[in-house]
Amino acid sequence: MSFSRAEAFAPATVANLGVGFDILGLAIEGMGDRAIVEFQESSKILISKIEGDAGKLPRDPKKNVASVSASAFLERMGDKRGLRIELFKGLPLSSGVGSSAASAVVTVVALNKLYGEPFSREQLLPFCLEGEALVSGYHADNVAPCLLGGITLVAGITVEAIQPLPIPDNLHLALVTPEIAIPTAEARAVMPSHVSLPTLIHQTGKVARLIDALHRGDLQAMAEAMENDLVAEPARASLMPHLQYVRKAAKACGALAVFIGGAGPTLCALCDAKSVAEKVAGAMKRVYSERELESRALSTRVDRRGSIVINAE
Ligand code: HSE
């Protein structure tokens, strides 16, 4: 059954999980974007509304992640019809919670619904990646968990590369996002272009350890692996305000690990209970407020639904 108008929701995501640069990510509850798409007579894609971006996202359909993803989808369908897109940004931009991935995913999931869902969520990956690539190149560590929910390994950029991972029952998260923007391109520019063999051995060992720990539901081992990143955090730490103070404050309240959310500046704490995550979120926010930096904090869990269609007519 096809529709003329559809509305979807896509959750926030946290990429890398410390050691898994560009290959690991998870979706979180409590934050996300919405989009409404509808066919229009003209053959153009029009972004008719964007709310919640303070006017910062490009309205030019060739430069906007949502419309570029939609265009890739329409091209695949061989459809010459035009589209109107309304985007409601619940996610802060350039903040490490997968805002560009959510723009791409929420639009493509709504568009897929217009056609009666010919593609599974996994199969929507390539269209979303076309949009995400505008911002930060081809990597699927935000797009995959945003589409599917849960924790995902994406060892490549193809549909076959997506592997959902187990979610330990007692996994809770605390997030804090200071009010500064770090464009992903800038955070990627500081990454090393090469790593040494000892670093490679260390890093692959920790990624393997993290995945094994997820399978065993061992949060302590997860924490140890996540915080032992020798590649992204050392390169990016200086871009993250007060990282070590936030880490110290979070651990004093019981957090098991603190890691950079994606390209930052969001910082995430791994916790083993809701009460701990709530305390940690408050403590992390206080570190910024004591230093006169606005921030928003969230105590949350892994989202298991991924992107969903809210309604269609
Ligand atoms: N893996 C990406 C990075 C996530 O850390 O640059 C942000 O797009």
Side-chain angles (χ1 to χ4, degrees), residues 39-238:
F39 288 121
Q40 62 165 5
E41 284 310 313
S42 108
S43 60
K44 290 194 175 125
I45 297 184
L46 172 71
I47 300 175
S48 57
K49 183 193 275 188
I50 307 182
E51 281 184 8
D53 71 327
K56 290 191 179 139
L57 290 176
R59 269 56 182 173
D60 177 348
K62 290 204 162 41
K63 295 186 180 153
N64 186 290
V65 167
S67 39
V68 168
S69 304
S71 171
F73 185 104
L74 290 175
E75 200 172 304
R76 170 73 184 278
M77 298 303 287
D79 197 332
K80 298 267 184 287
R81 272 180 295 182
L83 205 64
R84 259 167 51 91
I85 302 172
E86 293 181 15
L87 198 52
F88 303 88
K89 295 296 299 174
L91 299 181
L93 313 181
S94 300
S95 61
V97 289
S99 177
S100 56
S103 290
V105 167
V106 78
T107 306
V108 169
V109 165
L111 185 51
N112 191 41
K113 184 68 182 177
L114 291 187
Y115 288 90
E117 304 200 307
F119 298 109
S120 69
R121 289 289 186 273
E122 286 91 341
Q123 289 171 331
L124 297 177
L125 186 87
F127 312 121
C128 300
L129 279 183
E130 289 305 319
E132 173 80 321
L134 273 184
V135 177
S136 55
Y138 288 90
H139 55 91
D141 50 346
N142 288 108
V143 165
C146 189
L147 277 167
L148 300 175
I151 306 176
T152 51
L153 166 67
V154 204
I157 55 165
T158 59
V159 176
E160 297 71 33
I162 306 175
Q163 179 59 53
L165 296 169
I167 307 167
D169 285 341
N170 54 344
L171 196 164
H172 293 259
L173 296 160
L175 268 70
V176 68
T177 306
E179 273 200 6
I180 58 157
I182 302 182
T184 303
E186 272 177 37
R188 292 180 83 78
V190 301
M191 289 294 293
S193 52
H194 295 88
V195 297
S196 68
L197 188 60
T199 302
L200 174 76
I201 294 166
H202 171 97
Q203 198 82 2
T204 50
K206 295 301 175 189
V207 171
R209 178 86 167 133
L210 172 54
I211 290 171
D212 168 62
L214 279 169
H215 280 277
R216 291 184 294 104
D218 181 344
L219 293 195
Q220 288 289 351
M222 266 182 82
E224 188 269 337
M226 288 167 118
E227 275 200 341
N228 264 285
D229 168 28
L230 289 188
V231 180
E233 186 176 315
R236 290 173 165 175
S238 63

